[in-house]
Amino acid sequence: MNRIFAFVFARGGSKGLPGKNLLPLGGIPLIGHSINIAKALPQVEKVFVSTDDAEIKKVAEQYGAEVIDRPAELAGDKSPEWDAWRHAIRYLEEAGEEFDIFLSLPATSPLRAPMDVDAAINALDGNTDAVITVTPASRSPFFNMVAREEDGSCRILSPSNGYSRRQDAPEAFDMTTVAYAVRKQFILSSDRLFGGRVRSVLIPKERSIDIDDEWDFVFAEALYKRTRQ
């Protein structure tokens, strides 16, 4: 049987929304929401928070997660999270911790439901290296998304399509940070997520908010209050 470990990657710095990972939503810090979901899933054996920040470490431990010390060079604005994933795996392997399925639950998606994470885990079959979560996009690169130059001129992102109506364009989806279920060995052997066989699980918009800036947080607060009345 596959052993599943859950991870929350939460660095201290955030330009879009300072202190983002510890912001309280409904009285619970964002990383607390991710930890609580992971601990509520019976198939998840252990929960880890990878961080470079002392306060995040303290809060993670208060919510019952184990902490992985994240090196500063893997915690910058331009540091690929894939490298932090690899570091966490190797850190645990050196500590003698063996597992099969790597489950990432970013703190930026606090409105996820346990069934959303269950769906991602269950979709990771023998023909799949990784499962991502997606939600219907409000815009399509085939019809109404453009690239804009400094002088204001713009062009359609996918000009060679010939679609004249939005309804005729292929349906597009936004990747969400609800969950990533990935085979551990795939992370160690590949240099990118889409270097393997990737499947997706569809998440409703009301549970797929990805908090990146202040307005995202305001929207998340409104949805959180509405769904818990």
Side-chain angles (χ1 to χ4, degrees):
M1 184 166 178
N2 287 324
R3 300 186 70 193
I4 303 174
F5 284 3
F7 298 83
V8 184
F9 291 85
R11 61 189 184 88
S14 175
K15 288 185 176 179
L17 187 59
K20 173 174 62 180
N21 290 305
L22 294 179
L23 287 177
L25 181 67
I28 300 172
L30 291 186
I31 63 165
H33 286 279
S34 291
I35 295 169
N36 287 345
I37 284 283
K39 292 176 73 68
L41 297 169
Q43 64 269 52
V44 172
E45 292 190 32
K46 294 190 176 185
V47 185
F48 299 89
V49 170
S50 169
T51 186
D52 62 317
D53 185 87
E55 187 61 25
I56 291 176
K57 177 178 180 178
K58 178 181 176 181
V59 173
E61 291 173 339
Q62 289 173 348
Y63 277 84
E66 299 180 48
V67 173
I68 296 173
D69 291 319
R70 185 167 171 176
E73 62 269 21
L74 297 180
D77 289 335
K78 298 181 180 180
S79 302
E81 185 145 311
W82 191 260
D83 291 343
W85 286 11
R86 283 182 162 183
H87 170 265
I89 291 171
R90 290 171 178 149
Y91 181 100
L92 294 179
E93 285 185 338
E94 290 176 5
E97 295 277 11
E98 293 294 334
F99 68 101
D100 306 290
I101 305 302
F102 176 101
L103 178 66
S104 175
L105 300 174
T108 52
S109 189
L111 302 184
R112 64 169 71 83
M115 62 181 173
D116 300 326
V117 184
D118 271 332
I121 294 171
N122 293 334
L124 190 64
D125 60 23
N127 296 316
T128 307
D129 296 310
V131 175
I132 64 171
T133 49
V134 301
T135 197
S138 57
R139 295 287 183 270
S140 169
F142 299 101
F143 184 75
N144 55 6
M145 291 186 69
V146 300
R148 187 175 185 275
E149 306 297 338
E150 289 186 5
D151 65 357
S153 60
C154 58
R155 56 180 173 78
I156 193 77
L157 281 177
S158 298
S160 60
N161 53 62
Y163 300 112
S164 58
R165 300 191 314 154
R166 176 183 56 80
Q167 296 90 336
D168 296 330
E171 191 172 4
F173 298 87
D174 290 324
M175 286 182 61
T176 79
T177 57
V178 168
Y180 300 86
V182 191
R183 297 194 180 280
K184 181 186 76 171
Q185 288 304 321
F186 170 67
I187 296 173
L188 294 176
S189 63
S190 180
D191 60 358
R192 58 192 176 91
L193 180 63
F194 283 93
R197 300 163 297 181
V198 180
R199 294 184 66 188
S200 64
V201 169
L202 189 62
I203 309 295
K205 279 186 174 292
E206 66 270 18
R207 298 201 302 271
S208 62
I209 183 71
D210 184 6
I211 297 175
D212 189 52
D213 57 28
E214 180 181 358
W215 289 110
D216 292 333
F217 188 77
V218 170
F219 187 39
E221 282 188 310
L223 283 174
Y224 187 86
K225 291 177 181 177
R226 179 177 178 179
T227 58
R228 283 155 180 80
Q229 287 179 345

